[in-house]
């Protein structure tokens, strides 16, 4: 079960496992996003991904007494909205960070998001996934050019 981001230790070092030390997080890493962050992300994402349509769903509009719309993010290149987060992340990396490549853990759409964004920006990516992950999702991640590393019995062990 996912337990959230690694907790900062008193010395400012993050740890995902005993003895695993990572550099300190940037000051703004865990702050709540504000509206300007959304606008900034839109500017970064727009050149790379198609706009997806909204459609009003009349029966739900009538049922709830408001205009009810669905946004069809399934029309994104990986079939999920999560690709927006991958593009937003990779677009903000400095050249030296891109040169080091990306590594993440995922059982599906997040891995696809990072793989798609890595390919779009010419960055090497590895996605760690636990044993028994959806083989179709892993194949899609590989088709986008990311390496898949199978490790552990669950998400926590893969991470």
């Amino acid at each position: 079960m996912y337990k959230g981001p690694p907790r900062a230790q008193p010395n400012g070092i993050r740890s995902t496992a005993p003895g695993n030390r990572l550099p300190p997080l940037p000051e703004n890493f865990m702050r709540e996003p504000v509206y300007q962050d959304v606008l900034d992300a839109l500017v970064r994402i727009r050149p790379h991904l198609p706009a997806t349509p909204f459609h009003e769903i009349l029966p739900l509009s009538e049922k709830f007494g408001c205009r009810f719309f669905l946004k069809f993010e399934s029309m994104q290149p990986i079939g999920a909205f999560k690709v927006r987060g991958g593009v937003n992340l990779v677009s903000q990396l400095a050249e030296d960070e891109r040169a080091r490549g990306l590594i993440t853990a995922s059982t599906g759409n997040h891995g696809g998001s990072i793989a798609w964004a890595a390919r779009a920006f010419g960055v090497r990516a590895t996605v760690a996934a636990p044993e028994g992950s959806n083989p179709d999702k892993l194949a899609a991640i590989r088709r986008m050019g990311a390496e898949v590393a199978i490790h552990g019995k669950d998400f926590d062990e893969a991470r």
Side-chain angles (χ1 to χ4, degrees):
M1 169 181 273
Y2 180 64
K3 297 174 185 139
R7 297 184 187 274
Q9 303 300 312
N11 61 3
I13 302 296
R14 291 177 292 153
S15 177
T16 57
N20 184 14
R21 296 164 86 64
L22 299 169
L25 294 168
E27 271 185 48
N28 66 352
F29 181 76
M30 295 303 285
R31 72 170 174 75
E32 270 191 47
V34 296
Y35 185 62
Q36 188 60 49
D37 296 325
V38 174
L39 297 177
D40 293 344
L42 174 65
V43 169
R44 288 188 292 270
I45 294 167
R46 182 175 276 157
H48 304 283
L49 295 171
T52 55
F54 286 94
H55 290 288
E56 185 172 9
I57 310 301
L58 290 173
L60 293 176
S61 293
E62 291 169 4
K63 179 176 180 169
F64 295 115
C66 63
R67 296 188 72 195
F68 191 99
F69 288 84
L70 287 180
K71 185 155 175 62
F72 287 80
E73 291 295 283
S74 59
M75 297 175 77
Q76 290 294 348
I78 68 164
F81 73 92
K82 288 190 176 187
V83 71
R84 295 179 184 278
V87 169
N88 190 45
L89 170 76
V90 180
S91 70
Q92 296 179 79
L93 295 177
E95 285 304 316
D96 65 314
E97 293 172 312
R98 290 181 188 182
R100 288 193 299 265
L102 301 167
I103 186 166
T104 192
S106 174
T107 58
N109 290 340
H110 170 69
S113 165
I114 296 301
W116 193 93
R119 183 179 68 186
F121 287 89
V123 177
R124 188 174 29 87
T126 301
V127 178
E131 298 162 10
S133 294
N134 182 319
D136 294 331
K137 292 197 183 240
L138 298 181
I141 291 167
R142 287 184 182 105
R143 278 193 305 274
M144 288 181 266
E147 178 184 341
V148 173
I150 304 298
H151 178 78
K153 66 181 183 324
D154 58 24
F155 178 81
D156 285 338
E157 286 186 9
R159 186 181 64 187

